[in-house]
Amino acid sequence: MIGAAAMAFTDTLLTETDATLVMVDRRPRPGGHWNDAYPFVRLHSAATFYGVNSAPLGEGRIDRVGWNSGHLELSSGAAICGYFDDVMRHRFLASGRVTFLPSHEYGPGGFATSRLTGSRTILHARRRIVDGTHADTRLPSTHPPSFPIAPSVRLVTPDALPGITRPATDFVIIGGGKTAIDCVLWLLEQDLPPERIFWIRPRDSWFYNRKRMQPQSDVAAGTIEQYVIDMESARDAKNIDDLFRKLETKNALLRIDPEVTPTMFHCATVTEAELSQLRRVRNVIRKGRVTAIEPDRIMLEHGEIPTGRETVHVHCAASGVPVRPTEPVFQHGRIVLQFIQHCWPTFSAAAIALLDARRSDDAVRNRLAVPVRMADRPIDWLRGELASRENEALWFAEPDLAEWSAGARVDGFTRLFLAAEKSPDPALRDLVSRLEAASGPGIARIRALLEAAGGTDYMERSAGSAQNGV
């Protein structure tokens, strides 16, 4: 699957080596799940550090209108697909070192089978197979509901929302993840009264405050402050609940309903303006997951609610990025692309390619690239912070890797900290000093909190029982 991670890996490998590559994708063009996404989808983090390292995405502008106003621009799904198509054509294929097999399935025995003609191509990797499917995103448009639906029920996926031509009495949003949030915000943008939206939200989520995830020098203070808040809150936390209270009090983490304790965390971001809009929807149903939709009622795990023939039900309950057990990145004859920095897919993939190019021993490579499992529950915030900071410490102890990070577009944050250290602004230098003072105690406290919660065993059990999307 040639999604963002595979593209970022290939781009860095082309820069660092003289390798040749064959890229196989079941879709007709690169971009992975972005090709299947709904038309109003946008990145939920800044475009400036998404994509491949060699080519900028977007213009680095600050939005001046809308609910993202004051923050770095968020590229649309269409723009991202066009970007990856350009990278494939003008960077990868033009290099003469990349062969692209679109609309092909890669299967046992090393065969790439065309989905159009059925012809098979045998592929022999001189070095390794690179597996980019570990974080294969599942969307409503490609993964139908797991519950039965009566034939007369109006049920659509998010990509069909803009094409609705028959008016609806109301809308039921099914799911509590980022897709559901996008659909609610889109409906509100169309001036739909919030009382006509019913939101089945089995799990509430913690969100990053996008204001504090801005990798650009003119908005650097809020970004550096996020790291300071994370470490100082961890250092001073009495327990895990106290940690999340501190993070929320300082607006580092946000939730929609202040009266409901979130049980989900998927690395998503929102602005405070978006949060204000989401809170306008008061018809929130918390009776578990949908088990069936009948013509006059929606059956849930813990009850039912009425519905009607002119109600549009929006399926946002696909599992998103599956939570899978991690495995070594570098294996015999194989590289498995995974996060090695919490919530950073393209940086992680590019960094893995760099290690493949600059280190010759797999034991050394794996020591510098310990996988971070995809987040699902709030405790995964702690696990991700711990693993990321430990990876970062190892990485920055290697001069060539540290130098690469400082100049890498897909990093985005390292250069902010380096610039802040030399800044004439005393407020920025003070933030850096506070971070240096809090990081050691903060990481030690996160480790202690995890151990008190059951340590590694607890985290692996949470992966086995995770339910994404809703």
Side-chain angles (χ1 to χ4, degrees):
M1 182 188 71
I2 311 305
M7 295 290 285
F9 176 91
T10 299
D11 177 75
T12 297
L13 204 65
L14 285 176
T15 298
E16 293 286 327
T17 73
D18 59 0
T20 58
L21 303 96
V22 178
M23 306 183 76
V24 183
D25 196 348
R26 66 174 178 265
R27 295 180 176 88
R29 65 176 186 166
H33 77 278
W34 291 105
N35 289 291
D36 304 316
Y38 36 99
F40 51 91
V41 70
R42 306 189 82 83
L43 276 173
H44 58 92
S45 57
T48 54
F49 67 105
Y50 189 79
V52 306
N53 198 43
S54 69
L57 172 62
E59 303 295 330
R61 295 171 293 204
I62 302 292
D63 280 341
R64 299 302 177 193
V65 296
W67 296 329
N68 191 57
S69 179
H71 304 83
L72 286 162
E73 64 179 320
L74 310 175
S75 292
S76 68
I80 294 167
C81 286
Y83 166 83
F84 283 131
D85 191 61
D86 281 347
V87 169
M88 175 62 76
R89 292 175 181 275
H90 301 294
R91 162 91 165 126
F92 293 2
L93 299 181
S95 73
R97 293 159 52 198
V98 174
T99 299
F100 182 39
L101 299 180
S103 301
H104 277 68
E105 296 280 359
Y106 182 79
F111 285 99
T113 303
S114 170
R115 303 182 70 182
L116 300 179
T117 67
S119 63
R120 299 204 302 173
T121 303
I122 182 67
L123 301 176
H124 295 288
R126 283 194 293 267
R127 290 197 62 239
R128 300 190 201 240
I129 297 293
V130 180
D131 183 355
T133 66
H134 195 271
D136 188 9
T137 303
R138 299 170 183 175
L139 301 179
S141 59
T142 57
H143 290 75
S146 59
F147 46 84
I149 305 152
S152 61
V153 168
R154 294 182 69 182
L155 185 136
V156 301
T157 52
D159 54 295
L161 263 182
I164 289 176
T165 57
R166 191 170 96 235
T169 54
D170 43 41
F171 291 80
V172 175
I173 306 298
I174 304 170
K178 182 61 178 172
T179 299
I181 285 170
D182 285 349
C183 289
V184 170
L185 290 173
W186 186 82
L187 288 171
L188 293 173
E189 283 180 335
Q190 313 312 305
D191 292 325
L192 185 75
E195 58 269 19
R196 291 177 61 184
I197 300 173
F198 293 80
W199 194 349
I200 298 175
R201 206 161 76 212
R203 297 198 293 167
D204 275 43
S205 182
W206 286 112
F207 302 96
Y208 281 122
N209 187 340
R210 196 176 302 142
K211 177 176 69 176
R212 300 189 183 279
M213 306 289 284
Q214 301 291 293
Q216 189 160 298
S217 58
D218 54 350
V219 285
T223 300
I224 297 173
E225 189 178 20
Q226 171 76 44
Y227 283 80
V228 174
I229 290 169
D230 290 349
M231 290 298 102
E232 289 184 344
S233 298
R235 178 196 63 194
D236 300 335
K238 298 174 183 176
N239 50 49
I240 290 176
D241 289 341
D242 185 47
L243 168 59
F244 281 98
R245 280 194 295 270
K246 291 179 185 299
L247 292 170
E248 182 180 28
T249 298
K250 297 173 183 177
N251 278 341
L253 290 182
L254 307 172
R255 56 176 158 170
I256 299 173
D257 189 336
E259 302 301 318
V260 175
T261 301
T263 58
M264 182 166 65
F265 171 68
H266 284 177
C267 298
T269 75
V270 295
T271 65
E272 292 174 56
E274 289 172 337
L275 195 69
S276 178
Q277 291 297 318
L278 294 169
R279 286 173 173 166
R280 294 173 63 204
V281 177
R282 302 297 182 87
N283 302 316
V284 179
I285 297 95
R286 295 189 177 89
K287 296 184 178 183
R289 294 175 173 82
V290 174
T291 59
I293 304 181
E294 300 177 1
D296 61 346
R297 58 183 178 166
I298 301 173
M299 308 298 295
L300 300 127
E301 290 175 308
H302 309 299
E304 61 182 68
I305 58 171
T307 189
R309 293 182 181 276
E310 295 308 315
T311 294
V312 169
H313 308 76
V314 187
H315 164 44
C316 303
S319 60
V321 179
V323 181
R324 295 173 174 166
T326 60
E327 54 185 293
V329 171
F330 294 93
Q331 304 175 20
H332 178 68
R334 191 165 172 253
I335 294 174
V336 182
L337 299 182
Q338 297 164 80
F339 288 0
I340 62 171
Q341 280 289 307
H342 186 47
C343 307
W344 285 13
T346 54
F347 169 82
S348 295
I352 289 168
L354 190 77
L355 288 174
D356 187 62
R358 296 195 181 182
R359 299 296 183 269
S360 58
D361 184 279
D362 276 357
V364 173
R365 291 168 172 144
N366 282 324
R367 181 179 64 83
L368 294 167
V370 178
V372 182
R373 200 185 64 240
M374 179 61 193
D376 178 64
R377 298 183 176 195
I379 198 167
D380 292 336
W381 182 92
L382 287 84
R383 178 187 51 75
E385 284 293 313
L386 178 61
S388 295
R389 299 292 80 77
E390 289 179 341
N391 275 349
E392 190 176 80
L394 292 169
W395 189 270
F396 287 117
E398 308 277 333
D400 64 319
L401 305 184
E403 182 181 14
W404 179 84
S405 281
R409 191 189 74 81
V410 290
D411 181 321
F413 295 104
T414 297
R415 60 180 170 271
L416 286 186
F417 287 94
L418 293 175
E421 289 173 354
K422 302 173 182 177
S423 172
D425 184 347
L428 275 179
R429 292 201 309 274
D430 178 63
L431 284 173
V432 172
S433 297
R434 285 170 59 191
L435 180 61
E436 291 173 347
S439 289
I443 290 299
R445 185 59 181 152
I446 287 174
R447 185 180 291 107
L449 292 172
L450 281 170
E451 289 172 355
T456 302
D457 289 342
Y458 173 89
M459 291 184 283
E460 291 306 316
R461 285 200 303 274
S462 72
S465 60
Q467 297 286 338
N468 284 351
V470 296

